[in-house]
Amino acid sequence: MTREIPRIHDQSTPWLKLLVEFGFQNEPFILGSESTSSWLARKEWVLPDGRLNNEYLKKSYGNAIVPTLVNGTSYELTTLTEFLENMGDPNVYLKDWHFQNEFGTSMYTPNPFFSRDFVNCETWTSNNDENPFGDDYRFVYIGAAGSWTKFHADVVCSYSWSANICGRKKWFMMSPGSEEVFKSSSTDSGYVEDIREYQELFEQANVITFIQEPGEIVFVPSNWYHQVHNLEDTISINHNWMNSTNLGLVRDFLSKREEDVRNELSDCIDSFTEEEFEEKVEDILYADARLNKSKFLKLCELVRESRSTRKDDYDCRNHGLEVWKCISSPDCYSSITSICSCSISFCAKCSNFVKQLEYSIVSRFLDVHREPVINAV
């Protein structure tokens, strides 16, 4: 039986319900087009017939230098005007454009669940020197019909959300572990690039296939492999992000990659002092994963400092201070969702709750970061 991803059309759905049902449980969902109907991007970037408003885009952003992925292998820089005037080749995809760095975020307003974002929505994320990631992870994609992204999981085990401003996309997605069905020794990633060539394996891997309609937002949980195809000329806004609910998965990912790096360097360990070796491990890990142990801990310190007014730990009525047990236990979800019914904004109650939760989780990492941590999901 083919699994379907939940579609949520009710705009009054509490964001805490999204947090416990999808964030805590690392499960995907789709917000209906109602969730973006008020976005300026949906009004200004799109013509009444649903096509890209090329003239508006060229007039507003035409001189911007944008990255295009050519033939899925190499990036080239061009202006947005030049890209739009030559748009039509599915082998040229405007991808990973840091639009927000240059033009801000006035064209859209993320759902509160998406805005609990340690990568893009904090005071330190506007300062690349202070930001552990070195830059934001907010992007605009523009692709002609037929353009697509290869089979992959998002960087450093992050969450992502992708909002279709116009156009339709076809998604292939699978839960963590199922990607092993598509392993390959002939690619850099270790997995096949196009799973459509192996449809006889779809049932074994429990591949979920769905169409994303204009205006809909897809939430991709940590380590869910996916492949995306533009069925029409499309433009989308995308964030890669982390919050307290997937930090355990991120830490485990980094620990595994750190172990791999140490093994790879083991033959030349005698060439370094102990301090030099540790620095080399950190440098390679950051180059490979775009995060390393020291920067992960710096992120935790920044979060804890910013939540310092909530120095009292989150105390679950069922599990006390054992926060990981709480957020992985369905028995606790009803009490969390009963805090408030906020859907498109924060009230004092839910804001205080989530800050307290975030403070407690990052404090655990900082206090026991050398010890194994049980995942939240």
Side-chain angles (χ1 to χ4, degrees):
M1 182 177 179
T2 302
R3 176 180 173 182
E4 292 189 2
I5 293 180
R7 271 185 161 85
I8 300 172
H9 292 284
D10 185 355
Q11 285 191 277
S12 66
T13 301
W15 79 269
L16 288 177
K17 180 179 174 67
L18 302 180
L19 178 72
V20 300
E21 292 190 1
F22 303 104
F24 285 6
Q25 300 180 65
N26 204 47
E27 289 287 328
F29 67 93
I30 301 170
L31 283 181
S33 59
E34 303 86 356
S35 62
T36 62
S37 61
S38 64
W39 289 11
L40 286 177
R42 292 286 313 283
K43 299 174 181 179
E44 305 290 354
W45 295 0
V46 186
L47 294 171
D49 63 4
R51 294 181 295 120
L52 274 71
N53 188 341
N54 283 349
E55 293 307 311
Y56 178 90
L57 293 170
K58 287 189 288 186
K59 180 180 178 181
S60 301
Y61 321 114
N63 292 328
I65 303 300
V66 298
T68 59
L69 183 63
V70 181
N71 295 319
T73 57
S74 61
Y75 278 95
E76 297 179 3
L77 297 178
T78 185
T79 65
L80 178 63
T81 292
E82 184 176 359
F83 171 80
L84 292 173
E85 289 180 347
N86 294 282
M87 186 175 168
D89 184 352
N91 293 313
V92 181
Y93 194 177
L94 193 162
K95 193 170 181 285
D96 298 333
W97 176 22
H98 288 268
F99 171 90
Q100 294 87 338
N101 275 353
E102 189 171 355
F103 300 105
T105 59
S106 63
M107 302 304 289
Y108 65 102
T109 305
N111 179 280
F113 172 60
F114 299 142
S115 68
R116 304 308 306 184
D117 176 350
F118 298 160
V119 181
N120 306 295
C121 299
E122 298 286 348
T123 55
W124 60 81
T125 58
S126 60
N127 183 338
N128 287 351
D129 292 332
E130 187 178 26
N131 186 350
F133 301 91
D135 205 344
D136 75 336
Y137 277 74
R138 303 171 298 184
F139 309 105
V140 166
Y141 288 19
I142 306 177
S147 53
W148 58 290
T149 55
K150 297 176 183 177
F151 184 59
H152 69 287
D154 288 314
V155 59
V156 72
C157 216
S158 61
Y159 290 151
S160 68
W161 60 261
S162 178
N164 264 12
I165 303 305
C166 69
R168 301 164 71 240
K169 296 178 185 285
K170 185 173 185 178
W171 288 69
F172 302 95
M173 187 185 290
M174 64 200 67
S175 59
S178 298
E179 72 280 357
E180 297 301 310
V181 174
F182 298 102
K183 285 189 73 68
S184 172
S185 59
S186 61
T187 63
D188 292 338
S189 69
Y191 298 94
V192 304
E193 294 183 342
D194 187 355
I195 66 172
R196 294 175 302 174
E197 299 175 0
Y198 302 89
Q199 295 196 32
E200 71 277 7
L201 300 177
F202 276 27
E203 184 175 354
Q204 180 183 348
N206 295 313
V207 176
I208 305 168
T209 304
F210 62 92
I211 304 297
Q212 180 186 14
E213 300 292 342
E216 292 185 335
I217 306 176
V218 175
F219 169 62
V220 184
S222 291
N223 213 32
W224 279 66
Y225 273 70
H226 52 283
Q227 183 173 318
V228 188
H229 297 257
N230 294 323
L231 302 179
E232 303 165 352
D233 291 354
T234 63
I235 183 167
S236 63
I237 296 174
N238 309 268
H239 282 205
N240 288 100
W241 54 296
M242 299 172 193
N243 65 19
S244 58
T245 64
N246 70 338
L247 278 187
L249 294 172
V250 173
R251 208 293 293 266
D252 287 351
F253 168 83
L254 289 174
S255 296
K256 178 61 172 64
R257 285 300 298 130
E258 181 184 355
E259 180 182 349
D260 293 341
V261 171
R262 291 181 182 279
N263 290 335
E264 292 163 5
L265 292 176
S266 60
D267 291 342
C268 58
I269 189 171
D270 293 337
S271 302
F272 303 98
T273 66
E274 182 177 351
E275 182 178 351
E276 289 172 341
F277 183 75
E278 294 302 320
E279 289 178 356
K280 180 63 68 174
V281 169
E282 285 284 87
D283 289 345
I284 294 175
L285 183 58
Y286 186 72
D288 174 66
R290 305 185 199 178
L291 196 64
N292 57 27
K293 183 169 65 177
S294 60
K295 290 185 180 295
F296 175 82
L297 294 175
K298 178 183 178 181
L299 174 67
C300 291
E301 289 170 352
L302 288 167
V303 174
R304 182 162 71 173
E305 181 180 353
S306 70
R307 275 52 166 181
S308 60
T309 57
R310 303 299 310 173
K311 288 185 178 179
D312 48 328
D313 281 316
Y314 171 66
D315 190 356
C316 171
R317 67 183 184 185
N318 296 323
H319 301 99
L321 300 179
E322 296 183 273
V323 64
W324 295 118
K325 288 185 178 181
C326 172
I327 64 179
S328 62
S329 173
D331 292 340
C332 298
Y333 296 168
S334 61
S335 63
I336 293 174
T337 55
S338 68
I339 291 173
C340 74
S341 59
C342 293
S343 58
I344 59 174
S345 62
F346 297 99
C347 69
K349 289 182 179 179
C350 64
S351 180
N352 286 338
F353 158 74
V354 75
K355 288 178 180 179
Q356 192 177 53
L357 181 70
E358 291 164 348
Y359 178 88
S360 296
I361 288 175
V362 297
S363 294
R364 298 294 185 275
F365 283 119
L366 291 168
D367 293 343
V368 295
H369 68 269
R370 297 187 184 277
E371 301 297 330
V373 176
I374 299 173
N375 280 333
V377 292

